[in-house]
């Protein structure tokens, strides 16, 4: 008959194996659903996996929006340091316009154009997606009057400073 200590070790090893297996299965299931945020500067630097879908955020460059055939729209997305051409086919959000911070979901094609399958725009005059604000800050192009999404830490800090 195994000793009591041996039984506890066997039970502990079983629990560790079950937990490890559960974590491994959860991470494997999430791997394909994780979408990373990348700025235009990171796209220009090539620090992304071209086969992976990601979110590209920045400002729609002034004078860059071109309407194509049907519902196709081409525009330039910039973080004021680098720019990336974007093509999107579909209905744009009502609040989409030049100079506005947006986040687009999609992939980069062989020509370096970001092919978006979803475009998200702001919801009020002062909105800036937090990821876009961080990218602008990293590129050194953040303006003092720019604000971020309501409820974010940066927004709360700005409100506290007022």
């Amino acid at each position: 008959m195994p000793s009591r200590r041996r039984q506890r070790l066997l039970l502990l090893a079983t629990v560790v194996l079950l937990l490890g297996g559960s974590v491994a299965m959860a991470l494997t299931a999430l791997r394909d659903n994780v979408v990373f945020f990348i700025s235009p500067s990171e796209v220009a630097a090539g620090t992304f996996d071209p086969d992976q879908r990601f979110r590209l955020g920045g400002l729609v460059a002034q004078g860059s929006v071109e309407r194509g055939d049907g519902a196709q729209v081409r525009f330039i997305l910039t973080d004021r340091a680098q720019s990336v051409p974007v093509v999107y086919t579909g209905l744009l959000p009502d609040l989409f316009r030049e100079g506005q911070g947006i986040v687009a979901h999609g992939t980069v094609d062989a020509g370096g154009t970001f092919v978006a399958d979803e475009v998200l725009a702001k919801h009020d005059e002062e909105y800036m997606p937090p990821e876009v604000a961080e990218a602008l800050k990293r590129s050194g192009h953040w303006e003092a009057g720019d604000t971020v999404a309501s409820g974010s830490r940066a927004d709360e800090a700005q409100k506290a400073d007022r």
Side-chain angles (χ1 to χ4, degrees):
M1 178 169 190
S3 70
R4 193 174 180 112
R5 183 176 179 178
R6 189 178 182 134
Q7 288 178 337
R8 286 183 187 162
L9 284 174
L10 187 60
L11 178 63
L12 181 64
T14 303
V15 168
V16 168
L17 285 173
L18 289 174
L19 282 175
S22 298
V23 169
M25 288 175 47
L27 291 176
T28 301
L30 290 175
R31 184 178 58 193
D32 292 335
N33 294 326
V34 173
V35 180
F36 295 101
F37 177 84
I38 296 180
S39 70
S41 292
E42 291 169 311
V43 171
T47 58
F48 65 99
D49 180 4
D51 297 329
Q52 187 168 6
R53 182 177 146 79
F54 60 90
R55 297 183 300 152
L56 176 66
L59 303 173
V60 178
Q62 294 290 335
S64 69
V65 177
E66 298 175 7
R67 307 258 177 210
D69 295 333
Q72 187 180 61
V73 178
R74 293 181 175 273
F75 55 94
I76 304 291
L77 201 58
T78 181
D79 62 359
R80 297 182 180 153
Q82 297 291 329
S83 298
V84 174
V86 178
V87 62
Y88 173 70
T89 302
L91 295 175
L92 289 169
D94 290 339
L95 299 173
F96 176 88
R97 64 178 181 263
E98 295 175 354
Q100 189 60 55
I102 67 157
V103 175
H105 295 221
T107 58
V108 175
D109 68 9
T113 300
F114 186 79
V115 180
D117 54 25
E118 183 179 11
V119 173
L120 305 173
K122 70 171 194 107
H123 57 75
D124 67 19
E125 285 297 317
E126 298 182 0
Y127 176 78
M128 177 75 67
E131 297 93 349
V132 174
E134 288 300 318
L136 290 173
K137 287 177 183 176
R138 281 194 310 264
S139 70
H141 292 89
W142 178 255
E143 295 177 10
D146 293 343
T147 57
V148 296
S150 179
S152 68
R153 284 188 229 154
D155 187 41
E156 297 303 320
Q158 285 181 347
K159 288 179 182 176
D161 291 343
R162 292 180 189 161

